[in-house]
């Protein structure tokens, strides 16, 4: 076993290594000066290669190499300029892509600011972008040229070539499976990919003791990417809810070649869905939609690797892998994140931030700079991720202050205070004077004023546990109940909408049109697995909390894990808040908050489990600790695999019921999220005709994603297409689900209704002004 | 022993570079016409869906009143072929009142891929009162309509 293995992912750094600035990974003595200058030449050559490839960016092979270069080279140059040692980079590989994104964002902001001043109207085009990026990279190259040899990246810590290449065939297969489903083929390839992912994860959990960090990281990356692509590559455009609006923001920025700061729009304020994808699109020639649906997942798939490497600093490798697998299998990464481009980037920054805060292999100055940069990267990428992160660090700081007072000993951690301070400062600058996008905070305050806390909306029968488990998730409501409720909602809160006089006539009553149900082979088993998944998640939270409390209360807990535990408690508090309050849940979806918080929570959770065998042995002395440890890890791994079978769509494929969008070309998810070209053409036509500032647009919750994707219409859009909520003068966009299947979807509070599209009413009162066989536009 | 340690063997980095080179060659091949044929055969690409757009050119200005026997103003419509091959179209215009339907006229045209043509509706045959004017492509599902009130020359306005 190498020193690297024994140290749980943190390569042992000897005093001699530190003194000589030498990497412990390398079996060679320090690189001589001429080797270091050779490396500078190689890096300079790669920068020139980037220039050349941008010229031929219409060639797919050039696009692939450009993506790899853009996501590694600038980041490495930045880390090298900050004198980060090779050992730190290889022990936490997420630093490199995260730092690359920082450099890209920085170069983009620079050219976006300076370009218009010097007469470049569209600075986010290839030439200005490349000039800006090359200038920054050249400065970093020069700044890093005299870095100690320990900063020179050495590849001899990597797994063998077959481990770097063959596993990548699985995501390729996942992409093939998704595309074949799009082109009308069966799910055989997609299902094969799922089976391979299940096998890979099972084998890896079983063999986590024998596989090294590099191989286990590769497995996590491959499974994460495969699962993400299996969803994200469905649809003719992007696949998912939020990503439709995100694509709209990306496309507008890319088309205009300029990012507008300060227009107050929350989406426009996030560089992760405006400037960054526009930059990657311009520099690589990859379409903006493909950047969001393929390149972003390829970047984000390193997130579980980051969790693994972070946890590996606190718990043994096997448990660190289980921690990362626990985060990976919960569905958020595979299903939600590919449809949340902004959070893919923000969460990556968040993990990079945590990695930096707890990395003792980085010098103080470099660490302070990187912490500020990663905090900044997170803030400009996604406000909710940033708000939660700053709140968690603020909570930990408050906790430390309390401990300081109680113990009469300074317990405030400077890194935590630094993150909190930087978050507040950069956040205040970014959201107020730069983007004027702090409205989401004020609107949350208004919502809290008007609707209150909205405690546990599911608490109807007095069963608190059931209501808490259900949280703020949506429930169903019949068309008969939905119609009067939504009509009343419009009367009370949207009185400016003037419905037709005859809208309440009996003949126009909403009719039920339930979704076709696929038979479930073993309903009890499906129900059990679904419940088990939720229980496992909440049990994880509970054990994480217990672990955090134990860590904090033990005097001999090491400093870093004590800080992690102090971060875990406010994170848990926020999770409980999102689950208990509908109002807070509107500010940050509880599933996404859970994913972000899990990065921190899994560490005390796994730490607690690893301590159990020792405590059992101390108490009974009967069984060897390793046996209990083995039993616990087998139990945990088994549970994770069962959850994974459910969340990846495997159980749906074999036990019936609703199939996930990665295995099917029918069903609710597919109808909502898979956008067809004729549907998009209809939405685009609508976008060219509407007078945005004064006309109402209606599109139900099936159709509205096409409108968000293809137009800039964001205000005055209503998703309740019912006779009593349609204004007398409005545009109505109808998608395939409305026109072909005759089905519509509406929502009030947390209740969703699926009903028959009110075809008769719409045809009686509106002109049908556009038709293409799959989508229609009405107007009056 | 890792591959890197094998005496005389290629380092992981070099092997990875070779694998990358192979991948780039495959990508390069896939972008050629024969590669495109292979991708189609594998179900990885498909012809873009062929569809036709039928729309009013000024949807916000459709006439509230139409004159019997006259060509309605602001009611021109466009047919756009969004397919990859040329298409023959036959269009018809009807005037509907309740369940009664009267054909006002029809026409035919051929449109190449991506081509569009704007057409004016024919003079309408209708009696006084509310009507619905329907433009449809024969033998296809695309149709557009507008509500109006038919006026005969002697009607009081």
């Amino acid at each position: 076993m190498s020193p690297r293995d024994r140290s749980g992912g943190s390569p042992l750094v000897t005093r001699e290594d530190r003194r000589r600035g030498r990497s412990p990974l390398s079996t060679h003595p320090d690189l001589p000066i001429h080797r270091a200058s050779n490396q500078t030449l190689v890096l300079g050559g790669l920068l020139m290669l980037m220039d050349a490839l941008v010229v031929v960016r219409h060639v797919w092979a050039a696009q692939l190499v450009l993506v790899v270069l853009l996501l590694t080279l600038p980041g490495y140059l930045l880390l090298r300029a900050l004198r980060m040692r090779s050992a730190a980079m290889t022990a936490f590989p997420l630093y490199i892509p995260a730092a690359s994104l920082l450099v890209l964002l920085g170069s983009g902001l620079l050219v976006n600011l300076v370009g218009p001043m010097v007469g470049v109207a569209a600075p986010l085009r290839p030439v200005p972008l490349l000039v800006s990026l090359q200038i920054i990279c050249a400065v970093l190259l020069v700044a890093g040229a005299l870095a100690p040899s320990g900063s020179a990246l050495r590849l001899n810590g990597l797994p063998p070539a077959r481990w770097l290449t063959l596993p990548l065939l699985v995501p390729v297969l996942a992409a093939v499976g998704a595309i074949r489903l799009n082109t009308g083929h069966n799910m055989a390839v997609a299902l094969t990919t799922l089976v391979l992912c299940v096998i890979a994860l099972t084998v890896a959990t079983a063999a986590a003791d024998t596989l090294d960090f590099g191989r286990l990281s590769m497995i996590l990356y491959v499974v994460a990417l495969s699962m993400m692509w299996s969803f994200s590559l469905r649809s003719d455009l992007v696949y998912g809810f939020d990503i439709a609006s995100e694509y709209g923001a990306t496309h507008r920025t890319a088309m205009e070649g300029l990012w507008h700061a300060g227009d107050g729009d929350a989406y426009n304020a996030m560089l992760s869905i405006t400037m960054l994808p526009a930059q990657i699109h311009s520099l690589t020639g990859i379409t903006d939609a493909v950047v969001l649906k393929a390149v972003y997942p390829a970047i984000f798939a390193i997130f579980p690797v980051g969790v693994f490497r972070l946890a590996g600093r606190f718990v043994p490798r096997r448990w660190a892998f289980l921690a990362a697998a626990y985060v990976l299998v919960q569905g958020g990464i595979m299903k939600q994140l590919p449809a949340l481009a902004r959070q893919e980037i923000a969460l990556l920054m968040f993990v990079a931030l945590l990695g930096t805060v707890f990395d003792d292999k980085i010098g103080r100055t470099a660490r302070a700079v990187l912490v500020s940069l990663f905090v900044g990267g997170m803030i400009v990428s996604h406000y909710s991720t940033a708000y939660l992160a700053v709140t968690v660090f603020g909570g930990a700081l408050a906790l430390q202050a309390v401990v300081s007072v109680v113990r009469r000993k300074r317990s405030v951690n400077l890194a935590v205070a630094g993150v909190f301070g930087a978050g507040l400062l950069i956040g205040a600058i970014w959201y107020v004077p730069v983007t004027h996008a702090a409205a989401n905070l004020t609107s949350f305050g208004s919502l809290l004023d008007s609707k209150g806390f909205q405690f546990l909306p599911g608490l109807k029968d007095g069963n608190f546990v059931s209501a808490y488990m259900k949280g703020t998730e949506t429930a169903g409501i019949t068309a008969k109940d939905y119609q009067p409720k939504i009509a009343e909602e419009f009367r009370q809160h949207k009185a400016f909408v003037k419905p037709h006089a005859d809208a309440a006539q009996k003949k126009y009553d909403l009719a039920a049109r339930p979704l076709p149900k696929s038979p479930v082979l073993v309903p009890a088993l499906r129900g059990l697995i679904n419940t088990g998944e939720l229980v496992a998640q909440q049990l994880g939270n509970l054990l994480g909390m217990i672990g955090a409390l134990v860590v904090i209360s033990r005097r001999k807990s090491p400093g870093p894990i004590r800080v992690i535990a102090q971060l875990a408690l406010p994170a848990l508090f926020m999770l409980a808040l999102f689950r208990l309050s509908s109002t807070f849940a509107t500010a940050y979806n509880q599933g996404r908050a859970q994913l972000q918080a899990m990065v921190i929570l899994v560490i005390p959770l796994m730490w607690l489990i690893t301590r159990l065998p020792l405590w059992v042995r101390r108490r009974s002395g009967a069984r060897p600790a390793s046996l209990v440890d083995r039993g616990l890890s087998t139990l945990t791994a088994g549970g994770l695999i069962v959850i994974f079978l459910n969340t990846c769509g495997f159980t749906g494929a074999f036990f019936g019921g609703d199939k996930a969008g990665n295995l099917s070309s029918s069903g609710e998810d597919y109808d909502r999220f898979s956008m067809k070209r004729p549907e998009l053409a209809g939405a685009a036509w609508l976008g060219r005709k509407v007078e945005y500032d004064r006309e109402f647009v209606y599109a139900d919750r099936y159709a509205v994603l096409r409108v968000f994707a293809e137009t800039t219409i964001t205000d005055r859009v209503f998703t309740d297409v019912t006779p009593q909520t349609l204004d007398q003068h409005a545009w109505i966009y109808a998608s395939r689900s409305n026109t072909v299947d005759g089905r519509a979807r509406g929502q009030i509070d947390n209740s969703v209704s699926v009903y028959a599209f009110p075809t008769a009413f719409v045809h009686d009162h509106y002109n049908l002004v556009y038709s293409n066989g799959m989508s229609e536009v009405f107007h009056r | 022993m890792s591959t890197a340690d094998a005496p005389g063997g290629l380092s992981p980095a070099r092997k990875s570079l070779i694998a990358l080179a192979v991948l780039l060659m495959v990508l390069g091949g896939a972008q050629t016409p024969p590669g495109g044929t292979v991708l189609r055969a594998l179900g990885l690409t498909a012809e873009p869906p062929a569809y036709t757009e039928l729309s009013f050119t000024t949807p916000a200005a459709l006439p509230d009143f139409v004159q019997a026997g006259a060509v309605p103003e602001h009611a021109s419509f466009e047919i756009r072929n969004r397919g990859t091959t040329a298409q023959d179209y036959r269009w018809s215009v009807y005037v509907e009142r309740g369940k009664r339907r009267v054909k006002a006229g029809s026409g035919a045209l051929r449109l190449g891929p991506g081509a569009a043509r704007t057409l004016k509706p024919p003079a309408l045959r209708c009696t006084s009162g509310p009507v619905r004017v329907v433009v449809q492509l024969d033998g296809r599902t695309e149709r557009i309509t507008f509500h109006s009130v038919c006026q005969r020359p002697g009607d009081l306005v």
Side-chain angles (χ1 to χ4, degrees), chain B residues 3-11:
Chain B
T3 315
D5 299 326
L10 291 171
S11 69

Side-chain angles (χ1 to χ4, degrees), chain A residues 38-52:
Chain A
N38 278 353
Q39 200 200 26
T40 304
L41 284 177
V42 169
L43 292 170
L46 287 174
L47 285 175
M48 289 168 71
L49 175 67
M50 204 190 286
D51 292 342

Side-chain angles (χ1 to χ4, degrees), chain A residues 551-675:
Chain A
V551 169
I552 291 172
S553 61
R554 285 172 86 237
R555 283 190 177 273
K556 57 184 177 184
S557 295
I561 197 162
R562 186 181 290 278
V563 176
I564 283 279
Q566 286 163 344
L567 291 169
L569 288 181
L572 273 164
F573 174 77
M574 293 305 293
L575 283 187
L577 205 57
F578 293 132
R579 191 162 274 275
L580 289 170
S581 164
S582 258
T583 309
F584 274 84
T586 55
Y588 197 3
N589 174 289
Q590 61 185 22
R592 299 177 211 163
Q594 171 81 22
L595 182 63
Q596 186 180 351
M598 283 315 294
V599 178
I600 301 167
L601 286 178
V602 284
I603 296 171
L605 165 65
M606 292 301 164
W607 179 89
L608 182 73
I609 299 177
T610 56
R611 306 303 292 184
L612 286 177
L614 298 174
W615 293 335
V616 169
R617 191 182 180 191
R618 246 181 252 158
R619 290 213 167 234
S620 67
R623 289 172 188 275
S626 62
L627 200 65
V628 180
D629 182 72
R630 177 60 63 183
L632 278 173
S633 69
T634 307
L635 196 69
T636 310
L640 296 187
I641 298 300
V642 172
I643 295 173
F644 185 52
L645 288 174
N646 198 35
T647 50
C648 74
F650 200 84
T651 46
F654 285 96
F655 292 102
D658 291 338
K659 283 195 180 69
N662 60 340
L663 287 178
S664 171
S665 290
S666 62
E668 185 69 340
D669 279 1
Y670 180 80
D671 286 347
R672 290 179 71 196
F673 302 143
S674 183
M675 306 184 207

